[in-house]
């Protein structure tokens, strides 16, 4: 059977900072015939990011950038252009991108956030959801805009908070859903 060469897929860069489990699920999805994207570049701000190992395993080019350095975003943009990147997926990426950067890739940056936005933007979402006595939390994939965690929502998945849940158990349950939601959201973006 003829193998998909991936030549006509949308060239995608994934930005990570940590474990990279969402990166892994997106890479797996990208290998499917139905996937509109190919993962061609992994960008991290953290040399110790575990997710970088997946890049190695799947032979995907990776670049680490020191965000403390001046003009680093210009260098990243150059790298993205050099690799003909047309979609950016932020997946557990902990740095805030500038308006300049976001405008340079307008409508082409997605993010996953571990809450039911617009609730609980920012950090410590699970703890805050529990302290707020929420019955449900979940995850959201959205377009990135200049306001933190505020861009147009693409898809959300609700997850029930049980009485016994703590931030750790809730994070675990939500992460499982994140791995399914991100690929679905990518499919949705390209069917719009
Ligand atoms: C995920 O919960 C994501 O929503 C949040 O950070 C976590 C990253 O997990 N922004 P991983 O690095 O993809 O495993």
């Amino acid at each position: 059977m003829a193998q998909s060469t991936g030549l006509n897929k949308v060239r995608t860069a994934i930005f990570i900072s940590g474990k990279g489990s969402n990166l892994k699920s997106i890479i797996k999805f990208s290998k499917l015939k139905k996937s509109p994207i190919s993962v061609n570049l992994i960008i991290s701000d953290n040399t110790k990011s575990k997710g970088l190992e997946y890049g190695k395993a799947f032979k995907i080019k990776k670049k680490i950038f020191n965000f403390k350095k001046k003009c680093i975003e210009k260098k990243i943009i150059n790298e993205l252009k050099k690799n003909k990147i047309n979609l950016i997926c932020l997946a557990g990426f902990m740095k805030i991108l500038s308006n300049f950067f976001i405008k340079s890739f307008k409508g082409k940056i997605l993010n996953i956030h571990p809450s039911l936005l617009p609730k609980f933007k920012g950090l410590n979402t699970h703890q805050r959801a529990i302290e707020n006595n929420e019955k449900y939390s979940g995850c959201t994939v959205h377009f990135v805009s200049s306001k933190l965690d505020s861009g147009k929502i693409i898809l959300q998945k609700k997850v029930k908070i049980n009485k016994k849940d703590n931030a750790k158990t809730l994070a675990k349950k939500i992460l499982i859903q994140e791995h399914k939601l991100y690929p679905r959201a990518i499919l949705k973006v390209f069917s719009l």
Side-chain angles (χ1 to χ4, degrees):
M1 200 194 289
Q3 289 259 308
S4 164
T5 59
L7 279 180
N8 43 20
K9 292 193 176 191
V10 176
R11 293 176 64 82
T12 301
I14 316 283
F15 285 36
I16 58 168
S17 295
K19 288 195 311 283
S21 66
N22 277 291
L23 162 76
K24 191 179 176 189
S25 90
I26 298 170
I27 294 174
K28 274 186 164 175
F29 164 70
S30 75
K31 303 284 179 196
L32 304 178
K33 212 172 174 189
K34 69 173 179 184
S35 165
I37 67 158
S38 59
V39 179
N40 300 91
L41 185 61
I42 298 167
I43 287 184
S44 178
D45 62 315
N46 174 10
T47 47
K48 295 195 178 95
S49 171
K50 261 194 142 188
L52 290 168
E53 286 162 25
Y54 300 126
K56 223 181 190 178
F58 288 95
K59 295 195 174 71
I60 298 168
K61 188 171 175 182
K62 60 170 194 263
K63 285 270 167 182
I64 298 152
F65 288 96
N66 180 353
F67 276 70
K68 285 185 191 134
K69 277 195 180 158
K70 258 189 166 183
C71 300
I72 198 69
E73 285 191 341
K74 279 194 180 150
K75 287 196 178 135
I76 298 175
I77 291 172
N78 283 342
E79 189 64 34
L80 293 167
K81 292 204 167 137
K82 204 170 91 190
N83 285 281
K84 299 188 171 61
I85 297 299
N86 244 317
L87 179 75
I88 295 171
C89 294
L90 308 182
F93 182 64
M94 300 307 285
K95 290 281 184 289
I96 292 178
L97 298 165
S98 72
N99 279 345
F100 166 74
F101 186 95
I102 292 166
K103 276 185 191 149
S104 308
F105 281 86
K106 202 166 175 262
K108 292 181 175 175
I109 311 177
L110 314 183
N111 181 40
I112 189 152
H113 184 77
S115 79
L116 294 173
L117 289 173
K119 283 188 172 174
F120 309 114
K121 295 173 184 176
L123 298 174
N124 299 321
T125 54
H126 309 305
Q127 189 60 38
R128 284 155 61 211
I130 289 169
E131 280 169 10
N132 214 37
N133 290 319
E134 299 286 332
K135 286 200 172 75
Y136 292 91
S137 189
C139 44
T140 305
V141 178
H142 63 94
F143 286 104
V144 172
S145 69
S146 47
K147 264 180 107 187
L148 184 71
D149 299 329
S150 298
K152 192 169 178 251
I153 291 172
I154 301 160
L155 275 182
Q156 292 188 303
K157 176 72 184 175
K158 258 178 158 183
V159 172
K160 188 152 175 30
I161 304 179
N162 296 324
K163 286 215 172 82
K164 281 186 185 163
D165 271 326
N166 54 40
K168 212 172 161 189
T169 58
L170 183 59
K172 212 171 162 187
K173 284 199 289 190
I174 291 178
L175 195 58
I176 293 169
Q177 297 306 322
E178 290 184 39
H179 298 157
K180 298 179 190 164
L181 193 71
Y182 220 147
R184 281 180 51 217
I186 292 169
L187 273 176
K188 187 174 172 193
V189 165
F190 288 97
S191 64
L192 291 177

